């Protein structure tokens, strides 16, 4: 483990690092042991962070041109690249994710900074034909102060996509990372400041959701709130923001399906089917937790996925196996509670946990379930653990009925060699992203992302996020 190059118990307000009044322990999910402390920020700290962000909007940061902001973001991207390995080690230990996934997350963070660095001066308004004697145009302006409440599953990626886009548009951000995984948020802020981000443009207050998080989402000085996490908390955040009449972006997870038709190229599909269920130990909002297979190939898909499951190795994050531990004892308990609802006959395969995995780690063996009905809780609710259900379907309509038959609508995929069928599926699937003959498109920093239904609303990633993190002003000039 590389020693952190910063003090994790400090929070960042107005360009100054300082200790919070109290601390919270940081647990290593691979061992269950605590190895550091983060600050427990309070509502008073959030007040100061919001004031510092507002002040930044009216000083150096607010005066920069879009090109200058872009340059700073690009520099931050390079600095993140330079520290990929340190960030990956930190994240791997803090979140319990295998090193290769943590490295991919660090690279994605760099990529977001590069993308939004390049995009910062490419968002333009338009001129609108209007009455004789008028010229009318639109301006894209920042909201002002943006609040970012981030979960523990992919801290670097989610900070990249939300803080990166907000800064590109000239907002000043207050970031509240998850109490379970705050280290890379603090490391990123350190990197960003060293790369020349002006004071107050990014403020980081670690702490508990119901303290610092609630204070941020309800703060009257915050002009936009971006949240990724659970449906329950997302609803609270929307209510809190509604009291100040400010917009929110909510990314709340899903029960995403991959549809495998009989004509699918199974050799190509198989790694995508399995990986989308067990990546990050299934703690992924866009996890493909439902695999829907045309009945004639159902048993074959189950058998091939089962074989892949049996080859999975589960162990400590820094051992860099295929699957690490879950984030916490609480999350393990939730997932085991779900697994207890599966009958023995439903379990098509169960991976093995390495025999030398530390006893205190939060390991759950990945489970492949077949035979669970599409209305069962296991096939309807987001488990947020390494559990996939395989469900047979008879034809296109049946597949769509099952695929769209949950409260969620985040991501979906169809595997078929019939081009027109793929296009029909892309129109009928209820999801914010649809993939044809692939899944996830390698992360896709450039691709707008977000949900429908209980998966949330608003879009992050790609250019679309820049519209979400800005507001439109129309100017009508009469000149006769
Ligand atoms: P959560 O929604 O409780 O926490 C996410 C973030 O919200 C954290 O930063 C937390 O501190 C903050 N928060 C918590 N309560 C808050 C409040 N009252 N006001 C403001 N902010 C608050 O998620 P969790 O406890 O980490 O996980 C619970 C479930 O959420 C998981 O089992 C999973 O189903 C889901 N989840 C989804 C995603 C996703 O990417 N969609 C990520 C993490 C968790």
């Amino acid at each position: 483990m590389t020693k952190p190059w910063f003090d994790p118990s400090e929070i960042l307000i107005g360009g100054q690092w300082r200790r919070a009044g109290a601390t919270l322990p940081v647990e290593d999910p691979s061992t269950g042991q605590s190895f550091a402390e983060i600050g427990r920020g309070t509502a008073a700290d959030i007040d100061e962070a919001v004031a510092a962000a507002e002040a930044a909007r009216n000083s150096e940061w607010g005066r920069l041109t879009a090109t200058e902001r872009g340059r700073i973001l690009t520099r931050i991207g390079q600095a993140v690249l330079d520290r990929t390995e340190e960030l990956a080690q930190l994240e791997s230990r803090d979140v319990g994710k295998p090193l290769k996934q943590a490295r991919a997350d660090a690279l994605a963070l760099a990529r977001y900074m590069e993308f939004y660095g390049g995009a910062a001066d490419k968002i333009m308004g338009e001129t609108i034909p209007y009455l004789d004697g008028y010229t009318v145009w639109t301006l894209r302006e920042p909201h002002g102060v943006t609040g970012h409440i981030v979960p523990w599953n992919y801290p670097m990626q989610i900070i990249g996509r939300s803080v990166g886009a907000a800064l590109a548009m000239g907002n000043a951000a207050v970031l509240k990372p998850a109490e379970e995984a705050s280290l890379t948020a603090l490391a990123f802020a350190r990197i960003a400041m060293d790369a020349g981000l002006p004071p107050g443009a990014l403020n980081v207050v670690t702490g508990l959701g119901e303290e610092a998080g609630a204070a941020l989402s309800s703060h009257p000085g915050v002009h936009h709130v971006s949240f990724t996490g659970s449906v329950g908390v997302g609803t609270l955040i929307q209510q809190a923001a509604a009291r100040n009449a400010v917009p929110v972006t909510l990314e709340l997870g899903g029960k995403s399906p991959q549809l495998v038709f009989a004509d699918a190229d199974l050799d190509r599909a198989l790694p995508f089917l399995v990986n989308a269920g067990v990546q990050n130990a299934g703690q992924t909002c866009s996890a493909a937790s439902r695999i829907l297979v045309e009945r004639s190939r159902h048993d074959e898909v189950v058998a091939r996925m089962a074989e892949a499951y049996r080859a999975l190795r589960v162990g400590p994050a820094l051992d860099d196996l295929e699957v690490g531990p879950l984030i916490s004892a609480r999350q393990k308990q939730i997932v085991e509670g779900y697994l207890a609802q599966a009958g023995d006959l439903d379990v098509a395969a169960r991976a093995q946990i390495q025999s030398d995995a530390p006893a205190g780690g939060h390991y759950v063996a990945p489970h492949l379930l077949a035979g669970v009905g599409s209305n069962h809780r296991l096939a309807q609710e987001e488990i947020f653990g390494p559990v996939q259900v395989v469900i047979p379907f008879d034809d296109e309509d049946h597949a769509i009925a099952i695929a769209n038959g949950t409260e969620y609508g985040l991501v979906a995929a169809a595997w078929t060699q019939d081009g027109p069928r793929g296009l029909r599926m892309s129109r009928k699937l209820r999801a914010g992203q649809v993939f044809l003959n692939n899944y996830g498109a390698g992360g896709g920093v450039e691709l707008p992302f977000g949900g429908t239904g209980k998966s949330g609303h608003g879009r992050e990633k790609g250019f679309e996020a820049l519209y979400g993190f800005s507001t439109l002003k129309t100017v009508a000039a009469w000149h006769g």
Side-chain angles (χ1 to χ4, degrees), residues 150 152-153 176 178-179 209 213-214 227 230 253 285 330-331 382 384:
V150 169
W152 41 260
N153 56 344
K176 208 301 281 176
E179 46 272 49
F227 171 78
S230 60
C285 49
R330 173 174 160 258
Q331 194 66 20
E382 186 181 46
F384 232 62

Side-chain angles (χ1 to χ4, degrees), residues 192-349:
M193 299 304 292
D194 289 351
L197 188 67
L202 171 62
N203 305 274
V204 184
V205 180
T206 53
L208 298 172
E210 55 274 27
E211 278 179 6
L216 181 57
S217 59
S218 61
H219 201 288
V222 171
H223 308 110
H224 179 281
V225 181
S226 163
F227 171 78
T228 303
S230 60
V231 176
V233 174
T235 311
L236 289 176
I237 288 191
Q238 182 154 346
Q239 285 167 349
R243 283 196 283 279
N244 299 316
V246 300
V248 295
T249 303
L250 297 182
E251 204 275 271
L252 308 178
K255 193 73 181 173
S256 296
Q258 294 202 45
L259 279 52
V260 184
F261 285 90
D263 65 353
D265 176 350
L266 208 50
D267 290 337
R268 178 176 160 77
L270 203 75
F272 288 89
L273 300 180
V274 174
N275 189 48
V278 302
Q279 177 179 316
N280 213 37
Q283 304 164 116
T284 304
C285 49
S286 56
S289 46
R290 295 184 299 152
I291 305 297
L292 279 42
V293 188
E294 193 163 355
R295 202 173 293 278
S296 62
R297 294 195 81 182
H298 173 268
D299 293 355
E300 179 190 356
V301 170
V302 170
R304 291 189 65 178
M305 288 185 72
E307 192 185 334
Y309 260 68
R310 285 190 281 270
L312 293 171
R313 295 163 304 161
V314 184
L318 291 169
D319 287 3
D320 206 12
L321 307 175
E322 291 81 26
V323 183
L326 300 191
I327 186 74
S328 61
R330 173 174 160 258
Q331 194 66 20
K332 179 177 170 175
Q333 194 184 5
I334 292 171
V335 175
E336 287 179 343
Y338 274 108
L339 285 172
Q341 297 172 34
D344 283 348
L345 291 178
D346 297 331
V347 181

